[in-house]
């Protein structure tokens, strides 16, 4: 059966760099799920219970069973033939350690509290991470610290325009959230990520791209493990209008960053 996915996605866009390697192996295949499952086998991809991860039809999810709990107990990821789940699969293959830890955290919370109307702070944060997170990587230097401080204080024009050279030298943005990636298929100015700040040693910025991705995958998964459910909440993130990232859109002039409907000032409330 042919896929319903429109393969006209521009994988050269900078926001898809984190997943473009695996995406290019799949683009154009009608049975993209089978291709991704071959990649899972090649990577020996497993979940937190050491069960092999594979992508299965949505119908495989039993009625009344929580999605995250099913992945935890079976290793099978229910997947629909749409862009949202396609991007989710690409993230599993690009950042397997982070996805594994998020699933472990979600499953543990479901086992503890069940599935109710309210997820609770930890599950809310894990869901936001999974769906809409961008990894804001900064150097472990005074310049990196200053950039994070400016972003947390919504000093958008200062950090993205006036300090552009410093940002390009001491910071990188890597997309993780699959819903965020889906939105950016048809980009619009107000798309905003939940940024998770990662402080990296100077050697990180000298690594190859794949080595940096692998470092991030292990490092952030370890951060989530150490942080655990008692300390994970939505306060762990800071807003990041993604098309404001230097080089991610044109034009990025003063007028662009002065649009307060997108680049909002810090609330003083």
């Amino acid at each position: 059966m042919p896929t319903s996915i429109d393969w006209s996605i521009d994988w050269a866009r900078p926001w898809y760099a984190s997943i473009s390697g695996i995406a290019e192996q799949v683009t154009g295949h009608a049975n993209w799920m089978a291709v991704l499952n071959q990649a899972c086998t090649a990577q020996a991809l497993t979940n937190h219970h050491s069960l092999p991860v594979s992508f299965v039809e949505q119908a495989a999810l039993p009625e009344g069973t929580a999605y995250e709990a099913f992945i935890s107990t079976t290793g099978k990821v229910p997947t629909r033939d749409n862009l949202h789940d396609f991007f989710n699969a690409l993230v599993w293959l690009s950042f397997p350690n982070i996805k594994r830890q998020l699933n472990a955290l979600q499953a543990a919370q479901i086992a503890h509290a069940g599935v109710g109307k309210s997820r609770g702070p930890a599950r809310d944060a894990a869901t936001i991470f999974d769906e809409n997170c961008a990894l804001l990587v900064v150097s472990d230097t005074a310049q990196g610290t200053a950039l994070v401080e400016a972003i947390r204080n919504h000093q958008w024009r200062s950090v993205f325009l006036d300090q552009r050279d410093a940002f390009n030298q001491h910071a990188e943005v890597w997309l993780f959230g699959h819903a965020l990636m889906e939105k950016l298929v048809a980009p619009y100015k107000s798309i905003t990520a939940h940024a998770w700040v990662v402080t990296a040693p100077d050697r990180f910025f000298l690594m190859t791209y794949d080595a940096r991705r692998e470092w991030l995958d292990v490092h952030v998964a370890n951060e989530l493990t150490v942080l655990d459910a008692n300390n994970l909440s939505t306060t762990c993130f800071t807003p990041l209008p993604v098309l404001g990232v230097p080089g991610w859109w044109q034009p990025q002039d003063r007028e662009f960053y002065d649009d307060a409907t997108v680049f909002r000032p810090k609330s003083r409330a």
Side-chain angles (χ1 to χ4, degrees):
M1 180 181 296
T3 181
S4 63
I5 293 178
D6 179 356
W7 293 118
S8 61
I9 300 167
D10 184 358
W11 296 112
R13 295 284 200 177
W15 48 80
Y16 289 138
S18 61
I19 57 165
S20 62
I22 187 66
E24 289 169 358
Q25 298 178 32
V26 182
T27 299
H29 287 273
N31 193 351
W32 54 267
M33 201 181 303
V35 178
L36 289 174
N37 280 332
Q38 291 171 7
C40 286
T41 301
Q43 288 188 25
L45 189 62
T46 60
N47 73 357
H48 65 106
H49 286 310
S50 299
L51 297 170
V53 168
S54 63
F55 305 106
V56 298
E57 298 289 345
Q58 182 70 21
L61 178 65
E63 186 175 353
T65 300
Y67 170 83
E68 294 287 354
F70 182 71
I71 297 171
S72 174
T73 57
T74 68
K76 302 180 188 301
V77 182
T79 304
R80 298 161 297 182
D81 183 31
N82 60 28
L83 277 177
H84 187 85
D85 287 8
F86 174 66
F87 279 117
N88 182 55
L90 295 182
V91 177
W92 263 105
L93 285 157
S94 300
F95 294 102
N97 289 289
I98 300 176
K99 290 290 283 188
R100 184 182 298 124
Q101 184 55 30
L102 286 172
N103 177 240
L105 190 152
Q106 292 265 33
Q109 289 293 295
I110 291 169
H112 173 71
V115 180
K117 291 182 179 179
S118 175
R119 290 190 179 97
R123 281 193 69 203
D124 275 345
T127 300
I128 285 172
F129 198 118
D130 202 25
E131 297 278 348
N132 202 57
C133 180
L135 304 176
L136 173 60
V137 189
V138 297
S139 63
D140 189 10
T141 61
Q143 295 94 327
T145 300
L147 290 171
V148 171
E149 187 69 14
I151 288 172
R152 290 195 190 280
N153 284 293
H154 297 195
Q155 296 168 352
W156 308 116
R157 194 177 69 195
S158 172
V159 72
F160 288 149
L161 188 62
D162 300 338
Q163 301 180 68
R164 177 162 295 203
D165 290 344
F167 188 93
N168 288 332
Q169 183 178 354
H170 295 283
E172 290 184 349
V173 175
W174 295 64
L175 293 201
F176 179 89
H178 55 280
L180 179 61
M181 294 176 182
E182 183 185 13
K183 292 176 190 174
L184 283 160
V185 169
Y188 52 92
K189 190 176 179 180
S190 61
I191 295 175
T192 300
H194 288 75
W196 178 276
V197 176
V198 181
T199 302
D202 286 341
R203 63 181 175 82
F204 171 86
F205 297 91
L206 301 176
M207 296 177 183
T208 65
Y209 194 87
D210 283 345
R212 298 203 302 282
R213 177 176 50 78
E214 291 170 6
W215 184 93
L216 281 173
D217 186 34
V218 172
H219 181 82
V220 175
N222 287 339
E223 286 186 330
L224 289 168
T225 302
V226 171
L227 195 61
D228 72 38
N230 294 319
N231 300 295
L232 184 62
S233 73
T234 56
T235 62
C236 295
F237 304 98
T238 192
L240 183 72
V242 291
L243 295 190
V245 175
W248 281 28
W249 198 248
Q250 293 296 330
Q252 289 179 327
D253 52 16
R254 294 180 73 85
E255 182 180 359
F256 180 82
Y257 292 110
D258 282 345
D259 181 355
T261 64
V262 175
F263 299 98
R264 299 179 180 179
K266 180 79 170 180
S267 172
R268 302 301 176 187

